[in-house]
Amino acid sequence: MTAPAYRARALADVGRLAEAEKEVRAGLIESPADPELLSLLAGLLRLQGRRADALDAASAAVAADPHLPGVHIERAECLMLDDGAADDPRTAEALREAEEAVRLDPAHAPAHRVLARVLALRKDFGGARAAVERALELHPHSVTDLLTLGEIERHAGNRGAARKAVTAALAQDPGHPDGRWLIALLDAERLRVRSSLRGLRDLAADHPAKLNSAALAWPVRGLLGGLRRGLAAGVPLTAVLAAAALLWPSWQVAARAAALTVVIVMIGFGLRVLIPAGLLPWRCLTLLPSRQRRAVRAGWVAAVATVALLLGYAGTGHWLALTTGFAGLGALLMAGRAEHR
């Protein structure tokens, strides 16, 4: 390792990425085609969110020495930054880079790890699992590889296996922020709201640069997403049954029963999340960017109005309540798009 690379890695390890970048660029003045420095520069730019510049540096590193597995690993990482779809050309290119890294050094665990991550992005969870298990065969106690396995199992829907892998990683490094984050996510997905919020709150306190406190608003935002999906199915279903009642009046009972069922499910789901969450997520909404904050608030107004209108239809059977409910649903869906724009 060259002196500039050593100094840059030391600075990067303590989070001083901009200073590390300066060290690398100083080294590149004297050795502009050094593949190690170019690959390190790509990694530093990637961590700073400068995606296009990172990919350019990674491509230069591959051109400088295509026989080093590390340069292909870094280029694969840069190509995965956009989290593209499985059929995205960049994802396919990342797969080729990862496979080349494995071919160049089959005993290099990071090469198998990056291959696993690309395969998981392509929804090939079986191949991803096999790749990261190969990395763990090479380094059985690797915290990074155990966490990668946990991520793969989580995305594959195997939450029990994901928790087992993450727990094994945290047994070796109890304070690892990525492991603690994954445990909080797994708790959230199982609606263990108190446990998830407690974990996120502690993580935000210990690593404020890694986790913004706005993440603690997830119960409010996640519940709103659930209401959006539930109402997007429930309102049209009720309308179909109500339309059928125009031909067969006895179906109005089914339509009103469907509306009442949707209301009960939505309210029950909301109470299941909001009661254990308490006031903290609502307070953390103020930490969101103003555009997202306005969209969340508008979404909640629309969701509550839509549920109330469905309840009104269930109680009266009047078409006005149901048709107005569609307007509320439309506003809810528009707020959802604005929130994620």
Side-chain angles (χ1 to χ4, degrees), residues 84-141:
D87 57 351
D88 189 295
R90 284 197 169 194
T91 307
E93 194 174 352
L95 178 60
R96 290 193 292 272
E97 293 289 355
E99 289 175 335
E100 178 66 7
V102 171
R103 186 191 68 81
L104 288 168
D105 190 353
H108 191 46
H112 293 280
R113 183 195 313 140
V114 77
L115 176 60
R117 294 183 56 237
V118 178
L119 289 171
L121 192 60
R122 292 170 63 89
K123 311 300 182 187
D124 181 2
F125 297 116
R129 188 180 298 110
V132 76
E133 285 175 350
R134 175 56 182 152
L136 284 166
E137 288 174 7
L138 295 166
H139 294 288
H141 303 294

Side-chain angles (χ1 to χ4, degrees), residues 226-270:
L227 293 175
R228 191 181 301 122
R229 291 187 293 272
L231 291 170
V235 173
L237 173 62
T238 302
V240 168
L241 294 173
L246 296 176
L247 297 176
W248 302 284
S250 61
W251 279 57
Q252 188 177 65
V253 175
R256 294 170 67 178
L260 182 60
T261 301
V262 172
V263 168
I264 292 173
V265 170
M266 294 297 99
I267 292 176
F269 178 47

